Amino acid sequence: EKGGYPHFMLKEIFEQPRSIMDSMRGRLVAENTQLTMSSIREYENRFKNAQRIIIVACGTSWHAGLVAEYMIEELARIPVEVEYASEFRYRNPIITEGDIVIAISQSGETADTLAALELAKSKGALIFGVCNVVGSSIARATDAGAYTHAGPEIGVASTKAFTAQVTVLTLIAMMLAEKRGTIEKSALHQLMMEMEQVPAKVEKALQLDKEIQAIAEIFKDSSNFIYLGRGLNFPVALEGALKLKEISYIHAEGYPAAEMKHGPIALIDENMPVVVIATKDNSYEKVVSNIQEVRARKGRVIAIVTEGDTVIPEMAEFVIEVPETHEVLVPLLSVIPLQLLSYHIAVMRGCNVDQPRNLAKSVTVE
Ligand code: M6R
């Protein structure tokens, strides 16, 4: 059942080229710049005229929501708010009929997410679901939705569900941009062509496994980790830190890299591993300065960079290269080494990676 892998988590990490592909299948044909999602078509006018999109989710799904916030605002120019479902539902939130609420959930059974969407529904918002489990409670409670086709995810730590969510949300952002006329046709075509290449690039990133295992060996006894990223890689930093906490029980924090100097920098010394996601995008130069700040305090930098980077290898202690892609698609690649790093560290520490202590696969109580 684990397909020859020692753990479901590793199997699921390695399934990502396939699950991303399955989540795009029938929805994206780059060659003729064609995007199809019947649920979006059905509510085309609501989406076109949306004043605001509110995303509700928990945990890793909330991180996928943060990635979507950047993408939807960048491509479709619709204001997006991302809310922890548990906070949203108890805040007497302001919701109007012009709002669209997107609920993201792998299991489709998360109690807080379900309650948040029921609340928004009662106020007249359109509720759109991004779920993995067909026929789940959340999928049934929504007005419309798009399934992620990640297949069953058994490992408690979510991996392939995250990249499938980001994939579906990327397609939604592209469709909204197209319908609202906020993207040039040629730019959209270019982005779609890059999107089609993602599964093959994820496959390539997975080949870093041995290299990452060697890095895991060096840091497996650390008691703290910091993860830094900017822009679209900020949610990836949060996700990397969550993965490490959940399965290895190492304390880890994810931060937007620029926030470091507002406090966390005080933690940095020669014992602190700092994972910096420093791919080539418009915040690259800024992230390079953040790496220098960490180095100046003797922090041990593990940098995730774009293939061919010649600058960061000069300053970081360890460098992991992921293939180059369109800026918007980077999270689908930059998260892969972080999943593998936490997996290997947890295994080396003798942890039960598929069923970490105190956690359940779906959180059906609030
Ligand atoms: O099934 P959901 O996507 O609604 O679950 C939300 C969170 O409980 C979930 O992502 C959790 O944070 C995972 N254990 C993360 O790996």
Side-chain angles (χ1 to χ4, degrees):
E1 47 175 6
K2 292 183 195 144
Y5 289 94
H7 300 97
F8 282 110
M9 184 181 175
L10 192 62
K11 170 174 178 264
E12 290 161 4
I13 290 173
F14 274 84
E15 273 169 2
Q16 289 176 106
R18 173 71 192 274
S19 50
I20 292 172
M21 181 96 84
D22 288 346
S23 300
M24 292 195 287
R25 196 185 311 283
R27 293 170 169 166
L28 176 135
V29 184
E31 209 183 353
N32 35 18
T33 327
Q34 196 186 313
L35 287 157
T36 335
M37 211 177 264
S38 53
S39 50
I40 301 268
R41 200 180 327 123
E42 193 182 335
Y43 289 95
E44 185 160 344
N45 285 332
R46 292 283 294 265
F47 273 103
K48 249 183 171 156
N49 303 319
Q51 295 299 308
R52 179 170 71 144
I53 291 176
I54 304 169
I55 297 179
V56 294
C58 304
T60 287
S61 298
W62 183 78
H63 297 154
L66 289 179
V67 173
E69 173 180 31
Y70 279 83
M71 291 189 306
I72 296 173
E73 291 197 344
E74 171 73 21
L75 301 175
R77 308 303 294 155
I78 303 172
V80 179
E81 285 166 31
V82 188
E83 304 265 4
Y84 283 118
S86 56
E87 288 296 317
F88 179 79
R89 62 181 288 205
Y90 288 118
R91 206 188 49 229
N92 191 13
I94 300 161
I95 307 162
T96 66
E97 288 178 9
D99 289 336
I100 294 179
V101 172
I102 302 182
I104 309 173
S105 176
Q106 186 287 126
S107 64
E109 302 298 342
T110 301
D112 280 319
T113 309
L114 183 58
L117 76 81
E118 299 281 12
L119 173 69
K121 202 174 178 179
S122 72
K123 309 246 184 206
L126 176 75
I127 316 293
F128 191 92
V130 176
C131 295
N132 193 44
V133 177
V134 177
S136 55
S137 306
I138 293 174
R140 282 185 283 121
T142 51
D143 296 308
Y147 281 111
T148 48
H149 294 286
E153 190 181 62
I154 311 293
V156 165
S158 191
T159 52
K160 64 173 180 170
F162 174 76
T163 47
Q165 288 165 341
V166 172
T167 299
V168 168
L169 292 160
T170 308
L171 300 185
I172 292 173
M174 288 185 205
M175 281 191 79
L176 298 183
E178 184 186 35
K179 298 208 179 305
R180 289 166 58 88
T182 50
I183 191 167
E184 295 278 333
K185 186 144 188 184
S186 59
L188 180 64
H189 180 73
Q190 185 61 36
L191 177 55
M192 289 172 66
M193 295 292 277
E194 282 291 342
M195 186 74 203
E196 263 187 353
Q197 300 303 310
V198 167
K201 291 183 180 178
V202 169
E203 192 78 65
K204 195 160 179 219
L206 289 167
Q207 289 166 12
L208 300 163
D209 193 38
K210 284 279 160 297
E211 211 178 298
I212 293 167
Q213 203 170 346
I215 298 175
E217 186 64 50
I218 296 165
F219 291 102
K220 65 179 192 309
D221 297 318
S222 300
S223 25
N224 296 285
F225 262 79
I226 291 179
Y227 287 73
L228 302 175
R230 294 174 91 113
L232 281 148
N233 281 323
F234 160 51
V236 176
L238 295 179
E239 176 59 7
L242 178 63
K243 285 293 85 91
L244 190 69
K245 279 184 263 214
E246 292 192 278
I247 60 168
S248 74
Y249 318 137
I250 295 175
H251 171 238
E253 301 271 0
Y255 279 101
E259 271 296 300
M260 202 180 52
K261 52 172 91 55
H262 300 283
I265 199 164
L267 294 168
I268 295 173
D269 63 12
E270 66 282 5
N271 299 314
M272 181 63 88
V274 184
V275 178
V276 188
I277 309 148
T279 50
K280 286 261 168 65
D281 54 35
N282 60 17
S283 52
Y284 175 76
E285 299 297 335
K286 302 278 175 197
V287 181
V288 168
S289 338
N290 296 132
I291 292 177
Q292 282 161 332
E293 288 155 10
V294 173
R295 287 303 296 142
R297 286 148 189 96
K298 304 199 167 48
R300 306 191 66 182
V301 176
I302 305 157
I304 314 296
V305 303
T306 304
E307 234 166 45
D309 189 312
T310 52
V311 175
I312 296 177
E314 297 293 317
M315 49 182 95
E317 195 175 342
F318 299 94
V319 166
I320 300 169
E321 289 193 334
V322 293
E324 189 169 7
T325 185
H326 189 291
E327 185 164 0
V328 162
L329 306 175
V330 164
L332 291 167
L333 299 176
S334 57
V335 76
I336 306 290
L338 306 189
Q339 296 170 340
L340 288 168
L341 182 67
S342 37
Y343 170 78
H344 287 299
I345 290 179
V347 170
M348 287 168 190
R349 289 167 72 99
C351 299
N352 183 346
V353 291
D354 283 338
Q355 282 185 307
R357 69 185 184 202
N358 310 341
L359 292 172
K361 184 62 187 162
S362 52
V363 184
T364 52
V365 289
E366 65 170 297

